[in-house]
Amino acid sequence: MIFIDTHTHLDGEEYAADRDEVVARAKAAGVAMVFIPAISTDNIPTVLDTCRRYPGFAKPMIGIHPEEVRADYEQQIAKAKTMMTPDVIAIGEVGLDFYWSREYEQEQLKAFEMQVQWAVEAHLPLMIHCRKAQQEMVAILKRYEADLVGGVFHCFTGNEQEAAQLLRFNRFALGIGGVLTFKKSKLPDVVKDIPLSRIVLETDSPYMAPVPKRGERNESAYVEHVLHKIALCHGKSADEVAHITTHTALSIFTKAADTMATLV
């Protein structure tokens, strides 16, 4: 049984002391590949370096995270574009985040739209972060819907109506992570009605470790706990969930599919 962690910040300082061991544990757990998003031009080099360190296992994504958007967003996006390499599999982590503040609301909206346009131009999928901004995000995506190759709505924790609205975008899936396993989470009731073919696995490590690892530093090996919870929600075997979610991830992130061709 193999599966993919579609969202991990493996390049982060949190793994500086034991990154090789983290990768080894992930592989031992069944993780065949991980996707690493950039959040700013400052960490694009560390994302690319980490992926070079683990060829075939770690795949890079490039983008400017909404919480990193400031008045100079145009320059930052332009700089990010110069850092593209043939190995980049997606534009991300991009999106909108009005959870903490709307100080840079207009800048975030413009930066997100610019990066959606970038994804269209590059024929790459999107890795989308969205908090307290779903209607604004949907409005922007609708303008480019016909030209988008697909993507993932990362860290989905919404209700049935929000899931349905997002799944109207063809070739997009919902990224499901550790929140699914939390004791008071309402997400299991939502996930059971989401088609397995529209779900991908993720950790968002080092954040949001799943039960029974909650409170610890998260890592890709723990995605198996999310996998088993999804299997329970759907009344399916873990093997079936692993197979379907892996196929979905590779159908979206087609540049990663060649690496996995001999594994699935």
Side-chain angles (χ1 to χ4, degrees):
M1 183 172 68
I2 60 172
F3 35 93
I4 295 174
D5 181 359
T6 62
H7 199 113
T8 173
H9 299 275
L10 181 63
D11 64 305
E13 282 298 312
E14 295 87 349
Y15 302 111
D18 64 343
R19 195 172 279 109
D20 288 345
E21 289 82 356
V22 168
V23 169
R25 285 193 291 271
K27 291 180 177 180
V31 179
M33 192 179 290
V34 300
F35 301 161
I36 309 178
I39 60 171
S40 71
T41 54
D42 289 337
N43 91 310
I44 289 174
T46 67
V47 169
L48 295 175
D49 287 346
T50 300
C51 292
R52 292 187 192 106
R53 181 170 172 176
Y54 306 105
F57 177 74
K59 299 291 183 179
M61 302 182 277
I62 284 184
I64 307 297
H65 190 287
E67 289 184 340
E68 299 294 324
V69 169
R70 298 292 184 270
D72 65 344
Y73 68 91
E74 290 182 281
Q75 295 95 312
Q76 292 300 314
I77 293 171
K79 183 177 179 181
K81 286 185 175 183
T82 69
M83 304 169 85
M84 282 285 285
T85 72
D87 298 327
V88 171
I89 65 166
I91 305 302
E93 174 178 0
V94 304
L96 301 170
D97 194 323
F98 301 145
Y99 183 80
W100 298 109
S101 169
R102 287 183 177 261
E103 180 181 0
Y104 292 102
E105 177 177 350
Q106 291 306 309
E107 290 86 351
Q108 281 197 36
L109 291 167
K110 293 173 183 176
F112 178 51
E113 184 159 8
M114 285 181 67
Q115 292 181 99
V116 172
Q117 292 170 346
W118 180 11
V120 170
E121 293 162 4
H123 301 289
L124 290 174
L126 287 158
M127 177 60 71
I128 299 178
H129 169 111
C130 183
R131 283 201 299 182
K132 300 296 183 182
Q134 181 157 320
Q135 298 312 312
E136 295 91 337
M137 175 193 68
V138 165
I140 291 172
L141 290 178
K142 281 183 175 178
R143 296 173 199 155
Y144 303 92
E145 186 171 4
D147 299 315
L148 290 168
V149 301
V152 169
F153 297 107
H154 154 61
C155 195
F156 177 77
T157 57
N159 59 33
E160 292 87 348
Q161 292 74 29
E162 289 166 330
Q165 183 182 43
L166 297 181
L167 292 177
R168 291 191 188 105
F169 290 97
N170 293 328
R171 304 175 297 279
F172 277 77
L174 304 182
I176 304 296
V179 172
L180 180 68
T181 70
F182 294 177
K183 184 176 180 181
K184 295 183 179 180
S185 175
K186 297 179 180 178
L187 195 53
D189 288 334
V190 180
V191 164
K192 68 180 176 60
D193 293 322
I194 297 171
L196 275 177
S197 62
R198 304 297 298 278
I199 291 173
V200 295
L201 308 175
E202 63 171 52
T203 58
D204 200 18
S205 51
Y207 316 110
M208 295 190 300
V211 174
K213 303 293 185 178
R214 194 170 184 188
E216 300 179 18
R217 178 195 68 177
N218 201 3
E219 58 182 71
S220 290
Y222 299 166
V223 78
E224 65 176 333
H225 298 295
V226 179
L227 167 69
H228 286 288
K229 184 67 174 183
I230 292 172
L232 184 64
C233 291
H234 275 264
K236 303 289 186 180
S237 70
D239 281 336
E240 187 171 358
V241 173
H243 177 76
I244 293 172
T245 56
T246 298
H247 181 271
T248 299
L250 295 177
S251 70
I252 294 170
F253 300 93
T254 56
K255 288 183 71 174
D258 290 343
T259 306
M260 288 282 287
T262 59
L263 300 176
V264 296

